[in-house]
Amino acid sequence: MEERIYTIPLRQAKSVPRTKRAKRAIKEIKEFLARHMKIEEVKIDASINELVWERGIKKIPSKVRVKAVKMEDVVWAYTPEAEVKLPEEKRKKEEKPPEEEVAEETKEKEEEGEAEEIEEEKEEEVTEEVEEAEEAMKEKVESGEEEKEVEEVEEASKTESEGEIEKAEEGVAEEMKEEETKETKDKSKEEQ
């Protein structure tokens, strides 16, 4: 790993039309680093981009200080003031001693166990709601209401899905309202 700090002149970037200066400045920085670090692939950090675009597309700085780090076949460039984590440093952090790996695996297993417990609790809640709905339907059947409502609730209980249960209950409620309105109309006709 090789580190260097350069002051890159951007005079040539000012010779292009005003609306293309910032783009040209980035291109000049890449070309300069490729020429001086002797590597074709140059990666520029957002800190340099922000520095170039700070005053807009037309008013670029006349020169820029850049810290260039050469790693394998890539040059990473950023401003010296910026705190940048390079990929190599990330790799070192990823390589952990076996003890830490075992500790992480146990944490993951514990988290999975907690997730399973939460799922089981949700399933229990759903089954309780289904059972309550079935009991309510049994009471309706005993009181002499239609069998159609019972079939809808039984279908909902088979799926054990909250959304479907709610839809079935809404459908039953609507049917009951319709039946009540029909009955009231029939009674009013009979009275007349």
Side-chain angles (χ1 to χ4, degrees):
M1 189 168 88
E2 183 180 341
E3 292 184 16
R4 293 184 186 172
I5 295 180
Y6 291 108
T7 301
I8 302 173
L10 300 176
R11 282 176 298 218
Q12 289 180 344
K14 290 192 175 191
S15 66
V16 298
R18 289 182 182 186
T19 57
K20 297 181 181 180
R21 287 184 179 174
K23 184 177 179 182
R24 178 64 184 189
I26 298 295
K27 187 176 180 181
E28 288 291 326
I29 293 169
K30 285 185 176 183
E31 288 175 359
F32 182 92
L33 291 172
R35 184 171 57 246
H36 285 80
M37 299 293 280
K38 297 180 176 104
I39 289 185
E40 293 178 16
E41 190 175 353
V42 178
K43 302 276 184 174
I44 292 185
D45 186 54
S47 60
I48 292 177
N49 195 39
E50 290 171 4
L51 181 66
V52 170
W53 282 83
E54 191 172 48
R55 295 185 299 170
I57 196 168
K58 298 177 183 178
K59 298 179 182 179
I60 61 170
S62 57
K63 56 187 171 183
V64 178
R65 270 188 88 216
V66 173
K67 184 173 185 178
V69 179
K70 184 178 181 181
M71 296 185 317
E72 298 174 9
D73 296 335
V74 180
V75 173
W76 295 86
Y78 52 93
T79 57
E81 296 83 24
E83 294 181 17
V84 178
K85 293 182 180 178
L86 299 174
E88 187 173 332
E89 293 174 7
K90 291 179 183 176
R91 287 185 203 146
K92 288 181 182 178
K93 289 181 181 178
E94 288 176 4
E95 296 173 5
K96 299 175 183 173
E99 298 169 357
E100 291 181 17
E101 289 178 6
V102 171
E104 284 185 12
E105 289 176 5
T106 55
K107 286 182 182 178
E108 290 175 2
K109 289 180 181 177
E110 290 174 0
E111 291 173 358
E112 289 175 3
E114 292 174 5
E116 290 175 2
E117 291 175 5
I118 293 170
E119 289 177 11
E120 290 174 1
E121 290 174 3
K122 287 181 181 178
E123 289 176 4
E124 290 175 4
E125 291 174 4
V126 171
T127 54
E128 289 174 5
E129 291 177 5
V130 170
E131 290 173 359
E132 290 173 5
E134 288 176 352
E135 290 176 13
M137 291 310 293
K138 287 179 183 177
E139 290 174 6
K140 287 181 181 179
V141 170
E142 290 172 2
S143 65
E145 295 191 18
E146 293 187 6
E147 296 177 8
K148 188 175 185 182
E149 295 174 359
V150 175
E151 293 173 359
E152 290 177 356
V153 172
E154 288 177 352
E155 289 175 14
S157 66
K158 289 178 184 176
T159 59
E160 292 188 7
S161 170
E162 291 180 56
E164 293 182 74
I165 291 172
E166 291 174 6
K167 289 178 185 176
E169 290 175 348
E170 290 174 350
V172 169
E174 290 176 3
E175 288 178 12
M176 290 175 64
K177 287 180 183 178
E178 291 175 1
E179 289 176 13
E180 290 175 359
T181 56
K182 287 179 184 178
E183 290 175 347
T184 54
K185 288 180 182 177
D186 292 339
K187 287 181 182 178
S188 62
K189 287 180 182 178
E190 290 174 0
E191 292 173 2
Q192 293 176 354

